[in-house]
């Protein structure tokens, strides 16, 4: 999918890491970005016990969702695995809510 390639390029440009893409959907409307190394984790040592439910890296989900909205792609973006929670990798799930509309631009 073209949008997954664009997300890989954006991650490399802005965060210095290239996620791998895993697509398990037969409909082709959802995929996962898997980060072996998450640069945001470098800024957090350990979450306090009273803040264990905090998803510190959820910032990435908001950025991805906002960027997709800027190009008129509605998507649900959620964390599936988080290194800060003890998982081996950081995995972000992306599900497109509707297909991009083909728009014809009129010339003035």
């Amino acid at each position: 999918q073209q949008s997954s390639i664009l997300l890989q390029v954006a991650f490399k440009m802005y965060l210095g890491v290239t996620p791998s893409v895993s697509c398990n959907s037969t409909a082709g409307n959802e995929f996962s970005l898997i980060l072996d190394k998450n640069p945001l984790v470098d800024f957090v040592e350990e979450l306090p016990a009273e803040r264990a439910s905090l998803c510190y890296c959820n910032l990435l989900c908001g950025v991805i969702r906002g960027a997709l909205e800027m190009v008129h792609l509605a998507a649900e973006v959620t964390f599936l695995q988080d290194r800060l929670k003890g998982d081996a990798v950081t995995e972000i799930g992306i599900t497109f809510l509707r297909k991009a509309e083909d728009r014809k631009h009129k010339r003035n």
Side-chain angles (χ1 to χ4, degrees):
Q1 231 202 74
Q2 187 178 11
S3 55
S4 64
I5 294 169
L6 292 174
L7 287 170
Q8 283 182 306
V9 171
F11 266 83
K12 180 66 175 172
M13 285 175 53
Y14 295 109
L15 294 174
V17 295
T18 303
S20 57
V21 178
S22 171
C23 183
N24 296 330
S25 169
T26 57
N29 68 333
E30 63 183 79
F31 61 94
S32 293
L33 296 175
I34 300 170
L35 296 165
D36 293 326
K37 183 179 185 318
N38 182 352
L40 294 181
V41 172
D42 296 339
F43 298 103
V44 178
E45 291 180 11
E46 187 177 324
L47 293 174
E50 64 272 3
R51 302 284 185 217
S53 64
L54 178 69
C55 188
Y56 178 77
C57 296
N58 209 25
L59 170 75
L60 294 175
C61 292
V63 170
I64 292 169
R65 181 175 173 216
L68 289 171
E69 285 179 359
M70 294 299 292
V71 293
H72 305 289
L73 293 172
E76 181 180 309
V77 184
T78 56
F79 259 90
L80 303 176
Q81 295 185 64
D82 190 353
R83 291 188 77 165
L84 286 175
K85 306 284 185 186
D87 296 320
V89 295
T90 297
E91 182 177 3
I92 302 169
I94 300 172
T95 304
F96 291 107
L97 302 175
R98 64 178 182 270
K99 290 191 175 193
E101 298 174 15
D102 293 327
R103 297 181 182 204
K104 295 181 181 178
H105 298 286
K106 295 180 180 179
R107 294 183 185 191
N108 293 335

